[in-house]
Amino acid sequence: MDNQTEKTTEPKQRHGCVTAWLIFMIIGNSISSLTYLFGGNLIAQSFSGGISSFMVALLFFLGLGNVIFAVMLLKWKKLGFWGFIFTSICAVIINLNLGLGIQQSLFGLMGIVILYAVLQIKKDDVAAWENLE
């Protein structure tokens, strides 16, 4: 018999609020992307100057990227957080290009702050952020 004790590693865990927020992000961004995909013409008409089909497609892909990045966070990949920052900055640039005000456009960056704060919630004295690879 081997007298060495096996080192047991506990599986990573996250607080239920973190999981709920990530699932909310997946659902919300999925709905947003599908809205741009199937209702892009209506959205484009709602702006006084209109929106090009290229911009609508770009917004669809940004939302789809957010879904992918939220799934990556569920799978403990820190790259998902950095991807979310990238898509948020792109959205600010697009919003400014579409004529939305600077304050309204920058408000979109609050999602990054909220996501980072949620990832700081601890379970068993370990934040979800610390478990990301």
Side-chain angles (χ1 to χ4, degrees), residues 38-96:
F38 295 114
N41 291 335
L42 293 173
I43 294 169
Q45 292 171 0
S46 68
F47 280 84
S48 59
I51 301 176
S52 69
S53 57
F54 173 76
M55 285 293 190
V56 172
L58 191 56
L59 288 167
F60 162 75
F61 283 112
L62 288 176
L64 185 62
N66 281 344
V67 171
I68 293 167
F69 297 136
V71 170
M72 289 175 75
L73 286 169
L74 274 174
K75 294 185 175 194
W76 302 105
K77 303 296 179 192
K78 194 177 281 190
L79 183 60
F81 179 78
W82 302 116
F84 187 72
I85 289 175
F86 174 77
T87 58
S88 297
I89 291 170
C90 288
V92 167
I93 294 167
I94 290 170
N95 288 339
L96 290 171

Side-chain angles (χ1 to χ4, degrees), residues 2-20:
D2 190 26
N3 289 337
Q4 294 179 347
T5 58
E6 291 185 28
K7 189 176 186 180
T8 59
T9 57
E10 291 185 32
K12 296 178 186 178
Q13 294 183 358
R14 67 175 67 86
H15 194 277
C17 291
V18 177
T19 302

